[in-house]
Amino acid sequence: MDINHYVAECARKAKEASRSLGFASDEARCAAVRSMAAALRERAGEVLAANERDMDAARSAGTSEGLLDRLLLTPERIESMAAGLEKLADLPDPVGRVLEERTIDQGVNLRRVSVPLGLVAMVYEARPNVTADAAGICVRTGNACILRGGSLAQESCVAIARILADAVEASGFAREAVSIIETTDRAATAALMAQRGVVDVLIPRGGAGLIQRCVRESLVPVIETGTGNCHTYVHESADLAKALAIIMNAKTQRVGVCNACESILVDEAVADKLLPVLLAALAGAGVAIHADERVCGAANRLAAEGRLDAGLARECVKNATEEDWGREYLALEVSVKCVSGLDEAIAHVNRYGTGHSECIVAEDPTACDRFLREVDAAAVYANASTRFTDGGEFGLGAEIGISTQKLHARGPFAAEALTTYKYELRGCGQVRP
C-alpha cells in the first residue's frame, strides 16, 4: 500500500464531504448525531467484541493498568458515549451565530458569523471513546473528520467509526464525513500531518510525545491538547477532612486521565496534622509516593511511632527526583512536597504545572482568590477536585480534548471551539471613496 496516496485520498474525500455538511441545516445535523447515538446502542456488541480483541493484545503486551483503563470499553461506557452524542444534539446550534453586527462607513452592513472549520483531523492514542466524541462534535458543527487512532485501540476505533459512518450515510450525508485511517502503519500519521490545504486543523490527543511530535512536524495548523500535571495545594487554612476527600478523589478515582491529581503540595503549617492521614490513605490505596525530604522524614517518623505501617512506608514512599515534580504519572503514583506558604505553592505550580487544572483547598477566601488569579492554567479550582475538568461536567456535551494552549481554544473544548467565523457584508451599491 502507498501510505501517502491512501491518506491523501481519505483526506480528499473527507474534504468533499465537509462541504455539504457545512451547508446543512441545524435540524439535519442534529438528526445525524442522534442517529449516530442510536447506532452505537444498537451495535454495541460489535464494539465490545472489537474492544476485547484490543484488550487481549494489550494485556499480552504488558500494557500498564492506567492505559488498560483508558482502552477498556464496557456497556456502561458505550452508553455514556451515546448519551454524550445526544447531549450534543440538544445544544444550541454553534453554526450561524451572529457574533457581531454593525454598520461601517458608507452604510454597509457588516455581520461576523460563526462557520465550520471544514475538515478536522484527530490523532489520538488508546482512547476509543474519543472516536465517538470527535465524530459527534464534528458532525454537530458541520465539520467532517478524519481520525487516526492509536494502534493499541485500532480494532475498537475502526469498529466505532464504521458504525458512525453508516449512521451519517443513512442520514443523507456522505459517509466520508466520518473517516478513519484503517492502517497501523506509523507513516500514516506523518502523511496526515502533511495534508496542508486539505485538512484545516489537526488536534493531537495523547501523551507528551505524540503532542510534541505533531507540534514540531505538522504542516497543518494544530490545536494542542496538553498533558495534565495537575496539583492540589493544601493551604494552612484548609479543612483537612475536605482536603483528604478532594485529594483521594482527584488521585484515585481514575488514574489514567489527564485531569487526575499528579502532585500534592502541603503547607508546612498543617503538615504534622495532615501527613499522617494523607500518607496512610494514599499508601492504603496502593499509591506510590515520590516525596521530598520532609515528607520522607514524616513517613519514617510515623512508621517508628506505629501510626503508619512500616511495610507500607518502605514500599510506597520514595525520595522524589527533580523530574518527579513535572511528571504526569497516569498511574497510582503521586509526588508530595511541603511548601512554606501560598507564595511558594503558586510559584511551584506555575513552574512545574502543564497549564491544565490546579486546585487549592483553603477556607481563607483571600488565599483562594490569589490562587485563582495568579495560577496560570486552563482550569483553576478552589475546594473542588480537578476531576471536574471535562466537557460533559462543564455542560459542553462531549469534548474533543482539553487545550492547554491560549490561542483559539483553552480548557475543555467542544462544539463552539470547532467553529471559526467569516464576515458577511451587505450593501446597496456602495463604492469606497
Side-chain angles (χ1 to χ4, degrees):
M1 176 190 294
D2 183 332
I3 295 297
N4 290 328
H5 176 74
Y6 165 68
V7 172
E9 277 298 292
C10 286
R12 182 186 63 78
K13 292 176 181 178
K15 184 71 169 185
E16 289 177 0
S18 74
R19 303 191 191 285
S20 60
L21 191 61
F23 300 140
S25 68
D26 182 40
E27 292 76 14
R29 286 181 275 113
C30 284
V33 173
R34 290 194 176 95
S35 177
M36 293 160 72
L40 272 181
R41 290 192 177 102
E42 291 167 7
R43 299 171 63 180
E46 296 175 40
V47 178
L48 291 172
N51 184 248
E52 185 57 34
R53 293 192 293 272
D54 284 332
M55 290 293 293
D56 287 343
R59 292 188 190 101
S60 298
T63 304
S64 71
E65 287 299 319
L67 284 178
L68 286 175
D69 178 61
R70 286 188 170 200
L71 175 60
L72 176 65
L73 291 178
T74 63
E76 293 76 18
R77 290 186 179 182
I78 293 175
E79 172 56 33
S80 179
M81 290 157 57
L85 291 172
E86 289 176 332
K87 287 179 182 178
L88 276 172
D90 291 336
L91 292 174
D93 188 6
V95 177
R97 292 176 296 125
V98 178
L99 306 174
E100 178 186 7
E101 184 170 14
R102 54 192 168 87
T103 301
I104 63 174
D105 289 347
Q106 307 302 315
V108 176
N109 176 263
L110 175 150
R111 296 200 312 170
R112 187 161 58 93
V113 182
S114 63
V115 295
L117 290 170
L119 175 57
V120 177
M122 186 85 177
V123 181
Y124 52 104
E125 293 178 337
R127 292 286 292 272
N129 63 295
V130 173
T131 306
D133 291 347
I137 294 168
C138 286
V139 172
R140 181 69 182 88
T141 53
N143 296 290
C145 62
I146 182 166
L147 308 173
R148 169 62 163 149
S151 57
L152 203 64
Q154 179 72 1
E155 298 246 10
S156 305
C157 293
V158 169
I160 293 168
R162 288 176 178 173
I163 290 168
L164 298 180
D166 288 345
V168 166
E169 187 173 40
S171 300
F173 297 107
R175 66 179 296 106
E176 288 82 9
V178 176
S179 296
I180 189 164
I181 303 298
E182 295 193 17
T183 175
T184 58
D185 192 322
R186 296 188 66 180
T189 301
L192 186 59
M193 292 191 291
Q195 297 302 309
R196 187 177 182 88
V198 180
V199 174
D200 292 286
V201 67
L202 173 73
I203 303 171
R205 183 169 175 179
L210 170 68
I211 293 166
Q212 289 309 309
R213 181 192 174 193
C214 291
V215 170
R216 288 193 309 268
E217 300 178 14
S218 179
L219 302 179
V220 175
V222 174
I223 298 177
E224 182 178 349
T225 62
T227 54
N229 179 28
C230 305
H231 295 75
T232 300
Y233 165 53
V234 183
H235 184 256
E236 63 179 344
S237 69
D239 178 319
L240 300 188
K242 185 185 296 181
L244 183 65
I246 288 171
I247 289 169
M248 295 306 292
N249 174 263
K251 178 66 256 181
T252 66
Q253 187 201 37
R254 284 193 71 187
V255 299
V257 291
C258 60
N259 58 16
C261 176
E262 304 286 31
S263 189
I264 302 165
L265 303 178
V266 178
D267 198 296
E268 61 185 15
V270 294
D272 289 343
K273 292 182 180 178
L274 179 62
L275 286 177
V277 292
L278 176 62
L279 295 178
L282 290 170
V287 179
I289 301 163
H290 302 270
D292 70 356
E293 184 177 349
R294 178 162 182 172
V295 175
C296 286
N300 292 331
R301 185 175 64 255
L302 292 167
E305 294 171 358
R307 291 195 287 161
L308 179 64
D309 182 89
L312 281 178
R314 286 193 301 272
E315 180 181 345
C316 295
V317 183
K318 309 295 182 184
N319 289 310
T321 65
E322 175 66 19
E323 185 182 14
D324 283 311
W325 305 130
R327 181 176 293 173
E328 182 188 37
Y329 294 103
L330 300 176
L332 284 172
E333 297 183 68
V334 71
S335 63
V336 184
K337 180 180 177 64
C338 280
V339 294
S340 60
L342 182 60
D343 288 343
E344 185 182 354
I346 292 173
H348 183 95
V349 170
N350 284 338
R351 176 179 178 183
Y352 294 103
T354 53
H356 193 293
S357 301
E358 312 291 2
C359 168
I360 182 174
V361 184
E363 297 301 304
D364 180 351
T366 301
C368 290
D369 288 345
R370 271 200 63 199
F371 192 90
L372 292 170
R373 182 175 65 251
E374 297 180 23
V375 165
D376 185 12
V380 190
Y381 293 81
N383 299 310
S385 168
T386 57
R387 286 283 290 116
F388 284 102
T389 305
D390 176 83
E393 294 293 338
F394 280 22
L396 303 175
E399 72 180 33
I400 204 163
I402 310 290
S403 171
T404 56
Q405 65 185 37
K406 298 180 181 180
L407 294 179
H408 185 71
R410 195 179 195 193
F413 66 101
E416 186 175 327
L418 289 191
T419 63
T420 182
Y421 57 82
K422 68 179 179 183
Y423 291 96
E424 296 179 352
L425 297 103
R426 299 175 186 270
C428 53
Q430 291 93 331
V431 295
R432 183 171 174 175

